[in-house]
Amino acid sequence: MHQALRPPRPGTVLAALLGLTLSLLFTVSPTSHAATARPLAAPGMAVAPYEYLGWGSPQNPTSVMAATGVKWFTLAFILSDGSCNPKWDGSRPLTGGDDQAKIKAIRAAGGDVVVSVGGWSGAKLGEKCSSAAALAGAYQKVISAYGLKALDIDIENTEWSNATVRQRVIDALKTVKANNSGLKTVITFGSTTGGPDSTGVDMIKRGADSGLANDVWCIMPFDFGGGATTMGTLTTQAMEGLKAKVKSAYGYGDATAYAHIGLSSMNGKTDDSGERVRVADFKTMLAYAQQHHIGRLTYWAVNRDRACGSGSDGDSCSGVTQQPYDYLKVFAQYTG
């Protein structure tokens, strides 16, 4: 809420009016699938840039925090070890290694993490776990290992293309949300310039029809094809398409729908030849987020938020001229 009502006198009347105001602002129709807006709990959690610690010459997260003011990170990726068992990149243990040490250091510096499950490459838990109950158990191992407040399911490639697996993910998330009070969930997936494609629409509809109170439906608005250059404008266009689909599926009002959507851009050169996301585009995205108070404003990835040196590859630099963390310093301004 941007501005509270000011009743004539303080005390219990003020408290009652504030409670009524919040109720009116955030309650949606009785026929909707979810009763209240549940955006991510803190602005830092809403930004939480991706960093992948297993490759791409990762920077020390606490150094990134000191340089940019960012407090949260989205750490990627949890994959299957070949069975229905989660590991970092499918190979590194959840506890006892460098990944856990980095999380402890982030928290000691006043920050926290979202853990991301999935991604494009590797063996996916959604496929290796044969049931929603088993998949929920795998997710729970990750949640319990770190006492997570938020979990991101980056659903792509073969996991995304299989309708049975998509439903399995939905049902597993319902279970872990029921078993972990206050846990925030993000579902991240690809997009067209007009918003979710037919698979994305199906995923959102499955969530709504299944009663999943997902906190943020997050698109990756890049790799559009054709060497797109107006990426800020195309991103806001895609976000409006996402907002319309989430609003329709869940029966939300406009403000609630915006609170339940997010974007995860890609800084610099994308996977699509000729397509560039520039700092100016990030400023356009920031302005959109500030206008509509969206639930998530992030990008792929901290590892790439620096200029390329000799021999550098696309996992460790942006491919455009920039200073370190130029992109993150834009998104770090977002306060929800």
Side-chain angles (χ1 to χ4, degrees):
M1 181 175 70
H2 299 296
Q3 184 177 359
L5 294 177
R6 288 187 179 274
R9 57 192 178 87
T12 56
V13 175
L14 174 59
L17 284 173
L18 284 172
L20 176 60
T21 302
L22 286 169
S23 174
L24 291 172
L25 280 172
F26 290 111
T27 301
V28 296
S29 67
T31 58
S32 70
H33 294 273
T36 57
R38 296 183 184 273
L40 291 182
M45 192 190 298
V47 175
Y50 283 87
E51 184 167 15
Y52 38 122
L53 299 177
W55 72 105
S57 301
Q59 303 94 323
N60 188 317
T62 55
S63 297
V64 180
M65 295 169 75
T68 67
V70 73
K71 294 295 185 184
W72 283 69
F73 294 86
T74 302
L75 300 183
F77 280 114
I78 294 290
L79 291 167
S80 158
D81 68 353
S83 67
C84 185
N85 188 54
K87 288 187 177 181
W88 290 105
D89 290 336
S91 60
R92 302 192 307 278
L94 295 180
T95 59
D98 184 64
D99 301 276
Q100 185 182 38
K102 288 290 196 302
I103 292 172
K104 289 181 177 178
I106 290 167
R107 287 174 168 168
D112 213 333
V113 300
V114 181
V115 169
S116 186
V117 179
W120 181 264
S121 303
K124 311 297 192 297
L125 286 170
E127 294 173 291
K128 294 297 183 179
C129 298
S130 60
S131 68
L135 181 57
Y139 290 163
Q140 188 63 54
K141 287 181 181 179
V142 182
I143 295 164
S144 298
Y146 306 116
L148 292 180
K149 300 180 181 72
L151 184 71
D152 172 46
I153 306 301
D154 188 322
I155 180 167
E156 302 186 54
N157 203 353
T158 53
E159 196 175 32
W160 180 242
S161 62
N162 187 315
T164 299
V165 173
R166 292 198 301 275
Q167 186 64 50
R168 187 178 297 155
V169 169
I170 293 289
D171 293 340
L173 286 177
K174 279 190 64 179
T175 297
V176 296
K177 283 184 77 70
N179 292 338
N180 299 271
S181 179
L183 178 73
K184 304 295 183 181
T185 56
V186 180
I187 299 177
T188 301
F189 52 94
S191 180
T192 72
T193 56
D197 63 10
S198 58
T199 305
V201 172
D202 175 76
M203 187 72 173
I204 295 166
K205 187 175 186 299
R206 285 175 184 273
D209 290 347
S210 300
L212 173 64
N214 186 45
D215 295 281
V216 179
W217 297 94
C218 186
I219 55 172
M220 294 180 283
F222 53 87
D223 292 353
F224 288 142
T229 56
T230 56
M231 295 299 289
T233 300
L234 290 177
T235 295
T236 60
Q237 178 179 304
M239 286 292 285
E240 284 299 294
L242 173 64
K243 176 252 183 179
K245 297 304 182 184
V246 171
K247 178 181 177 180
S248 174
Y250 278 87
Y252 291 149
D254 285 336
T256 306
Y258 281 120
H260 284 278
I261 66 171
L263 68 90
S264 177
S265 188
M266 186 173 184
N267 60 302
K269 182 180 179 180
T270 72
D271 305 308
D272 178 34
S273 178
E275 186 179 82
R276 301 287 186 275
V277 183
R278 305 193 183 277
V279 171
D281 297 312
F282 266 42
K283 291 179 179 178
T284 299
M285 297 175 208
L286 172 64
Y288 178 88
Q290 290 170 330
Q291 178 184 358
H292 296 297
H293 307 286
I294 64 175
R296 186 154 163 86
L297 179 70
T298 190
Y299 74 113
W300 183 265
V302 168
N303 308 59
R304 305 180 72 254
D305 202 345
R306 51 193 169 188
C308 295
S310 176
S312 297
D313 60 35
D315 284 334
S316 60
C317 58
S318 65
V320 300
T321 301
Q322 67 159 103
Q323 295 299 311
Y325 309 127
D326 276 351
Y327 288 87
L328 180 50
K329 288 176 181 178
V330 175
F331 279 4
Q333 298 173 50
Y334 186 51
T335 57

